[in-house]
Amino acid sequence: ETKLMADRLENEGITAFSEVEVVPAYEEGVIAVAQANGIAGISSNTIMFGWSEKKQRLVSTLGIIRQISLMGKSTVICRVRPRAWSSKPKRIDVWWGGLQNNGDMMLLFAYLLSKNSEWRAAQICVHSIASSEMMLKQTEQTLTRMLAVSRIPALTRITLKAEKETVQEIISKESVS
């Protein structure tokens, strides 16, 4: 498996280190790998894995996110759509909350993903949710500055949250296409 991943990374022109770990259980395994992972004395600070449609796996995912957060690490969750949908224009959605000061890292991650051969033509879109008109204007200014400093081309979409609307409903609606 490690050789297969290394070959795939090389074919894609991606410089990265891959590692395969066999673990007895998903949640405990991800946490153990997150704690032990690293190279040349440098430990990882971000854990990335796929979004599952299985309810029990989602429960595990929330537990993993909590544990990884307690370790001071970030989590990136990817949802990959079937290839049959690949005829639609691709978009990389970045959901920015504004509290963690990690917007530049998320933009860089989206930009690096857009360099992958399958995502090369993707548009990066930075989303945020505002609870008031004042927050909407502040968020707009902050995102405009962040994009200017990063020099990463991206669209911005700031949604004003209706009183009875949940964050999950907004994310599902905005990221569905």
Side-chain angles (χ1 to χ4, degrees), residues 120-135:
R120 206 157 275 137
Q123 172 67 58
I124 298 170
C125 185
V126 181
H127 295 266
S128 191
I129 300 171
S131 56
S132 68
E133 285 289 339
M134 185 178 78
M135 284 301 295

PDB file of all heavy atoms in Angstrom, residues 120-135:
ATOM      1  N   ARG A 120      -7.735  20.892 -11.291  1.00  0.00           N
ATOM      2  CA  ARG A 120      -7.044  22.038 -11.877  1.00  0.00           C
ATOM      3  C   ARG A 120      -7.976  23.180 -12.298  1.00  0.00           C
ATOM      4  O   ARG A 120      -7.633  24.337 -12.156  1.00  0.00           O
ATOM      5  CB  ARG A 120      -6.204  21.564 -13.060  1.00  0.00           C
ATOM      6  CG  ARG A 120      -5.050  22.496 -13.293  1.00  0.00           C
ATOM      7  CD  ARG A 120      -3.904  21.854 -14.018  1.00  0.00           C
ATOM      8  NE  ARG A 120      -3.039  21.159 -13.070  1.00  0.00           N
ATOM      9  CZ  ARG A 120      -2.521  19.966 -13.281  1.00  0.00           C
ATOM     10  NH1 ARG A 120      -2.754  19.333 -14.384  1.00  0.00           N
ATOM     11  NH2 ARG A 120      -1.748  19.399 -12.381  1.00  0.00           N
ATOM     12  N   ALA A 121      -9.137  22.873 -12.814  1.00  0.00           N
ATOM     13  CA  ALA A 121     -10.041  23.925 -13.296  1.00  0.00           C
ATOM     14  C   ALA A 121     -11.047  24.370 -12.234  1.00  0.00           C
ATOM     15  O   ALA A 121     -11.962  25.128 -12.525  1.00  0.00           O
ATOM     16  CB  ALA A 121     -10.792  23.432 -14.533  1.00  0.00           C
ATOM     17  N   ALA A 122     -10.887  23.927 -11.008  1.00  0.00           N
ATOM     18  CA  ALA A 122     -11.859  24.236  -9.956  1.00  0.00           C
ATOM     19  C   ALA A 122     -11.778  25.693  -9.516  1.00  0.00           C
ATOM     20  O   ALA A 122     -10.704  26.281  -9.451  1.00  0.00           O
ATOM     21  CB  ALA A 122     -11.631  23.325  -8.753  1.00  0.00           C
ATOM     22  N   GLN A 123     -12.924  26.249  -9.210  1.00  0.00           N
ATOM     23  CA  GLN A 123     -13.029  27.599  -8.661  1.00  0.00           C
ATOM     24  C   GLN A 123     -13.020  27.480  -7.143  1.00  0.00           C
ATOM     25  O   GLN A 123     -13.717  26.651  -6.583  1.00  0.00           O
ATOM     26  CB  GLN A 123     -14.337  28.247  -9.115  1.00  0.00           C
ATOM     27  CG  GLN A 123     -14.644  29.577  -8.466  1.00  0.00           C
ATOM     28  CD  GLN A 123     -13.676  30.671  -8.879  1.00  0.00           C
ATOM     29  OE1 GLN A 123     -13.541  30.953 -10.052  1.00  0.00           O
ATOM     30  NE2 GLN A 123     -13.004  31.266  -7.915  1.00  0.00           N
ATOM     31  N   ILE A 124     -12.232  28.299  -6.475  1.00  0.00           N
ATOM     32  CA  ILE A 124     -12.211  28.324  -5.016  1.00  0.00           C
ATOM     33  C   ILE A 124     -13.254  29.335  -4.561  1.00  0.00           C
ATOM     34  O   ILE A 124     -13.299  30.465  -5.049  1.00  0.00           O
ATOM     35  CB  ILE A 124     -10.820  28.708  -4.474  1.00  0.00           C
ATOM     36  CG1 ILE A 124      -9.784  27.667  -4.909  1.00  0.00           C
ATOM     37  CG2 ILE A 124     -10.856  28.840  -2.945  1.00  0.00           C
ATOM     38  CD1 ILE A 124      -8.345  28.069  -4.622  1.00  0.00           C
ATOM     39  N   CYS A 125     -14.092  28.920  -3.616  1.00  0.00           N
ATOM     40  CA  CYS A 125     -15.120  29.804  -3.084  1.00  0.00           C
ATOM     41  C   CYS A 125     -15.039  29.784  -1.551  1.00  0.00           C
ATOM     42  O   CYS A 125     -15.155  28.726  -0.937  1.00  0.00           O
ATOM     43  CB  CYS A 125     -16.508  29.356  -3.548  1.00  0.00           C
ATOM     44  SG  CYS A 125     -17.814  30.495  -3.044  1.00  0.00           S
ATOM     45  N   VAL A 126     -14.817  30.953  -0.963  1.00  0.00           N
ATOM     46  CA  VAL A 126     -14.741  31.076   0.486  1.00  0.00           C
ATOM     47  C   VAL A 126     -16.111  31.505   0.997  1.00  0.00           C
ATOM     48  O   VAL A 126     -16.617  32.565   0.633  1.00  0.00           O
ATOM     49  CB  VAL A 126     -13.667  32.100   0.916  1.00  0.00           C
ATOM     50  CG1 VAL A 126     -13.597  32.183   2.437  1.00  0.00           C
ATOM     51  CG2 VAL A 126     -12.313  31.737   0.326  1.00  0.00           C
ATOM     52  N   HIS A 127     -16.705  30.652   1.818  1.00  0.00           N
ATOM     53  CA  HIS A 127     -18.028  30.908   2.388  1.00  0.00           C
ATOM     54  C   HIS A 127     -17.889  31.326   3.843  1.00  0.00           C
ATOM     55  O   HIS A 127     -16.980  30.883   4.547  1.00  0.00           O
ATOM     56  CB  HIS A 127     -18.868  29.626   2.378  1.00  0.00           C
ATOM     57  CG  HIS A 127     -19.195  29.101   1.035  1.00  0.00           C
ATOM     58  ND1 HIS A 127     -20.353  29.408   0.375  1.00  0.00           N
ATOM     59  CD2 HIS A 127     -18.518  28.255   0.222  1.00  0.00           C
ATOM     60  CE1 HIS A 127     -20.371  28.775  -0.790  1.00  0.00           C
ATOM     61  NE2 HIS A 127     -19.268  28.076  -0.903  1.00  0.00           N
ATOM     62  N   SER A 128     -18.830  32.130   4.285  1.00  0.00           N
ATOM     63  CA  SER A 128     -18.920  32.467   5.698  1.00  0.00           C
ATOM     64  C   SER A 128     -20.383  32.739   6.009  1.00  0.00           C
ATOM     65  O   SER A 128     -21.176  33.031   5.112  1.00  0.00           O
ATOM     66  CB  SER A 128     -18.067  33.691   6.025  1.00  0.00           C
ATOM     67  OG  SER A 128     -17.968  33.850   7.418  1.00  0.00           O
ATOM     68  N   ILE A 129     -20.718  32.626   7.273  1.00  0.00           N
ATOM     69  CA  ILE A 129     -22.089  32.862   7.723  1.00  0.00           C
ATOM     70  C   ILE A 129     -22.058  34.017   8.716  1.00  0.00           C
ATOM     71  O   ILE A 129     -21.277  34.013   9.665  1.00  0.00           O
ATOM     72  CB  ILE A 129     -22.674  31.589   8.380  1.00  0.00           C
ATOM     73  CG1 ILE A 129     -22.689  30.439   7.362  1.00  0.00           C
ATOM     74  CG2 ILE A 129     -24.081  31.871   8.919  1.00  0.00           C
ATOM     75  CD1 ILE A 129     -23.042  29.093   7.960  1.00  0.00           C
ATOM     76  N   ALA A 130     -22.929  34.995   8.470  1.00  0.00           N
ATOM     77  CA  ALA A 130     -23.017  36.160   9.358  1.00  0.00           C
ATOM     78  C   ALA A 130     -24.363  36.153  10.070  1.00  0.00           C
ATOM     79  O   ALA A 130     -25.379  35.776   9.482  1.00  0.00           O
ATOM     80  CB  ALA A 130     -22.843  37.442   8.549  1.00  0.00           C
ATOM     81  N   SER A 131     -24.345  36.587  11.308  1.00  0.00           N
ATOM     82  CA  SER A 131     -25.582  36.592  12.096  1.00  0.00           C
ATOM     83  C   SER A 131     -26.293  37.952  12.053  1.00  0.00           C
ATOM     84  O   SER A 131     -27.421  38.067  12.509  1.00  0.00           O
ATOM     85  CB  SER A 131     -25.282  36.207  13.546  1.00  0.00           C
ATOM     86  OG  SER A 131     -24.303  37.080  14.083  1.00  0.00           O
ATOM     87  N   SER A 132     -25.619  38.968  11.491  1.00  0.00           N
ATOM     88  CA  SER A 132     -26.234  40.298  11.393  1.00  0.00           C
ATOM     89  C   SER A 132     -25.642  41.037  10.197  1.00  0.00           C
ATOM     90  O   SER A 132     -24.604  40.640   9.665  1.00  0.00           O
ATOM     91  CB  SER A 132     -25.975  41.100  12.671  1.00  0.00           C
ATOM     92  OG  SER A 132     -24.588  41.411  12.773  1.00  0.00           O
ATOM     93  N   GLU A 133     -26.301  42.120   9.826  1.00  0.00           N
ATOM     94  CA  GLU A 133     -25.795  42.945   8.719  1.00  0.00           C
ATOM     95  C   GLU A 133     -24.414  43.507   9.049  1.00  0.00           C
ATOM     96  O   GLU A 133     -23.542  43.577   8.193  1.00  0.00           O
ATOM     97  CB  GLU A 133     -26.763  44.094   8.409  1.00  0.00           C
ATOM     98  CG  GLU A 133     -28.012  43.683   7.678  1.00  0.00           C
ATOM     99  CD  GLU A 133     -27.763  43.279   6.219  1.00  0.00           C
ATOM    100  OE1 GLU A 133     -26.724  43.674   5.636  1.00  0.00           O
ATOM    101  OE2 GLU A 133     -28.603  42.562   5.671  1.00  0.00           O
ATOM    102  N   MET A 134     -24.216  43.900  10.316  1.00  0.00           N
ATOM    103  CA  MET A 134     -22.924  44.440  10.730  1.00  0.00           C
ATOM    104  C   MET A 134     -21.827  43.373  10.581  1.00  0.00           C
ATOM    105  O   MET A 134     -20.749  43.647  10.061  1.00  0.00           O
ATOM    106  CB  MET A 134     -22.980  44.932  12.177  1.00  0.00           C
ATOM    107  CG  MET A 134     -21.700  45.614  12.628  1.00  0.00           C
ATOM    108  SD  MET A 134     -21.781  46.237  14.315  1.00  0.00           S
ATOM    109  CE  MET A 134     -21.546  44.718  15.216  1.00  0.00           C
ATOM    110  N   MET A 135     -22.123  42.145  11.034  1.00  0.00           N
ATOM    111  CA  MET A 135     -21.154  41.050  10.900  1.00  0.00           C
ATOM    112  C   MET A 135     -20.899  40.726   9.429  1.00  0.00           C
ATOM    113  O   MET A 135     -19.774  40.417   9.054  1.00  0.00           O
ATOM    114  CB  MET A 135     -21.654  39.797  11.628  1.00  0.00           C
ATOM    115  CG  MET A 135     -21.510  39.862  13.134  1.00  0.00           C
ATOM    116  SD  MET A 135     -19.808  40.086  13.670  1.00  0.00           S
ATOM    117  CE  MET A 135     -19.064  38.580  13.121  1.00  0.00           C
TER     118      MET A 135
END
